[in-house]
Amino acid sequence: MAQRTLVVVGGGIAGLATAVAAEQLLPDVQPILLEQAPALTPVGAGIVLWPNALDVLTRVGVPRSDLEAVSRPATSGGLRSPSGRWLRRLPPGVIERAIGTSAAFHRADLVELLRRRLQRTQVVLGATVTAVDPASGLLRWRDSAGTDHELAADTIAAADGIRSPIRLAHWAIDPVPSGIMCARAVVHVPTSDAVETWGRGRMAGHVALTGGRTYLYAAALVPWDPHDLSWLTSWPGDLPALAAAAAELPGPPIVGELHSLPAVRPWVRGRVALVGDAAHAMLPFLGQGACQGIEDAVALVTALGADDLAGYERRCSRAELVARMSASASRTALADGPTATLRDLAVPLVPARLLAKSLARIAFAAAAQG
């Protein structure tokens, strides 16, 4: 049987997961990964993978022990108000018993873990894709020296992010600003449980990483200068210490306005398939963006193994559901005025079993996709 070629455009988590899955599940396919940056350097700070993503990675040969070695269990400590009152504090282990344990990584550690799994993927850095023909699979790219190249691919996985040039060229769909500014940082302050605090039109949270580090994130409705975290000094728990440590970092926090994508259909045009944020960039308030990209990776490779690229489209409805749930979570966390007052009254009244059932819609649906 002639060897087929899978070209993955983009070396982020979704792109790397696609190449890892292809190596494991498609022995007759040569994966080639094209990354525009000069190194596989991640953009971001911390990241939490839910059980759905962790299970998918282990199914394609990433040992659970390797994942555990570079992560911390992301156990939920609950929700607070800025006054320090607990809006929701579940008994230890309730969420974990219902859906399994999530894991918190420094994004750089997760990228390096996936990169090390690549054995036969040809990785080309400094490669800027300049043109793609979905009908023929012909791809043109330019190297860091300015030399142009052509490559014929049986399949092209466009994992080139929320601002995907491939999606823009062939789907003409741009990301939509959310009106939410966000700041992210990793600081050397040890914490334990993951806790979020919801205020009025603003929120903040933190999750423990390995090495005594903590991932701090904060978001607020515009207008807000996301470099200014001074408001956290009066918020409860670990937030004042985390904000002070972020202010002492040699570089500023990662900041910017959050964007998402309108529903993209189809995900496949000819030989090109959208993967990860290129297909369904969503707001981060459920921590499912990278998780869904990892699900995409294995679903796409499974479809290729069955010689049924169109079958990858079955992923659309699940990713769209999670995107809608993420948008709803953002509205809840950043509620203001009377809506926030009603939220604070309602959250403590939600039965734990209903909360677990809602989270299970995300954590377990991947298993049904094969």
Side-chain angles (χ1 to χ4, degrees):
M1 180 182 294
Q3 189 174 59
R4 296 177 291 165
T5 300
L6 167 64
V7 175
V8 181
V9 181
I13 291 171
L16 287 168
T18 302
V20 168
E23 287 197 11
Q24 182 74 15
L25 303 179
L26 301 176
D28 64 322
V29 168
Q30 171 60 57
I32 301 172
L33 190 150
L34 303 179
E35 167 55 42
Q36 184 173 3
L40 291 175
T41 303
V43 176
I47 185 170
V48 174
L49 295 188
W50 283 46
N52 56 307
L54 297 172
D55 291 346
V56 166
L57 287 175
T58 57
R59 291 212 314 261
V60 295
V62 181
R64 182 73 68 160
S65 58
D66 286 3
L67 294 165
E68 292 172 350
V70 294
S71 67
R72 283 278 304 269
T75 54
S76 174
L79 296 170
R80 303 183 87 167
S81 73
S83 69
R85 179 171 66 92
W86 288 98
L87 301 176
R88 188 80 203 216
R89 196 171 194 183
L90 297 171
V94 167
I95 298 299
E96 290 70 33
R97 286 192 294 272
I99 67 171
T101 301
S102 300
F105 299 79
H106 193 295
R107 190 175 289 260
D109 294 339
L110 180 58
V111 166
E112 177 61 16
L113 171 61
L114 295 175
R115 185 198 64 79
R116 289 201 313 266
R117 300 299 303 175
L118 300 181
Q119 299 297 317
R120 59 184 180 87
T121 298
Q122 180 184 347
V123 178
V124 184
L125 301 174
T128 301
V129 173
T130 56
V132 168
D133 181 359
S136 67
L138 184 67
L139 182 147
R140 294 184 175 88
W141 61 278
R142 182 173 297 129
D143 64 26
S144 56
T147 303
D148 291 321
H149 304 263
E150 284 190 353
L151 184 59
D154 294 283
T155 307
I156 298 169
D160 49 347
I162 186 172
R163 302 190 184 281
S164 165
I166 294 176
R167 187 194 64 241
L168 181 60
H170 297 286
W171 280 259
I173 296 176
D174 279 325
V176 177
S178 66
I180 302 169
M181 300 297 292
C182 187
R184 304 176 178 94
V186 172
V187 297
H188 284 272
V189 175
T191 56
S192 53
D193 292 342
V195 177
E196 283 194 353
T197 301
W198 291 353
R200 297 296 190 264
R202 56 181 57 188
M203 60 83 67
H206 58 82
V207 60
L209 305 177
T210 57
R213 299 171 297 178
T214 294
Y215 171 40
L216 168 68
Y217 54 94
L221 302 174
V222 297
W224 169 53
D225 176 5
H227 293 92
D228 176 17
L229 297 175
S230 61
W231 48 279
L232 293 180
T233 60
S234 64
W235 281 32
D238 294 310
L239 288 173
L242 295 171
E248 297 298 322
L249 290 173
I254 300 165
V255 301
E257 184 172 6
L258 298 176
H259 289 67
S260 62
L261 282 180
V264 178
R265 291 287 186 105
W267 285 4
V268 175
R269 289 191 186 276
R271 296 177 183 267
V272 177
L274 300 175
V275 176
D277 281 351
H280 50 64
M282 61 190 69
L283 296 177
F285 292 88
L286 284 179
Q288 273 288 315
C291 296
Q292 292 302 301
I294 290 169
E295 285 192 23
D296 291 347
V298 178
L300 174 60
V301 168
T302 300
L304 293 177
D307 199 23
D308 179 26
L309 182 57
Y312 174 56
E313 296 285 349
R314 288 191 289 272
R315 274 280 306 145
C316 291
S317 58
R318 168 160 165 78
E320 289 170 356
L321 168 65
V322 175
R324 290 193 300 271
M325 293 175 73
S326 297
S328 177
S330 74
R331 291 190 293 270
T332 301
L334 293 168
D336 200 359
T339 303
T341 301
L342 291 174
R343 174 200 67 193
D344 292 354
L345 292 171
V347 165
L349 303 178
V350 177
R353 60 181 178 80
L354 291 183
L355 177 60
K357 182 177 180 180
S358 177
L359 296 178
R361 295 177 69 193
I362 300 172
F364 295 141
Q369 301 178 88

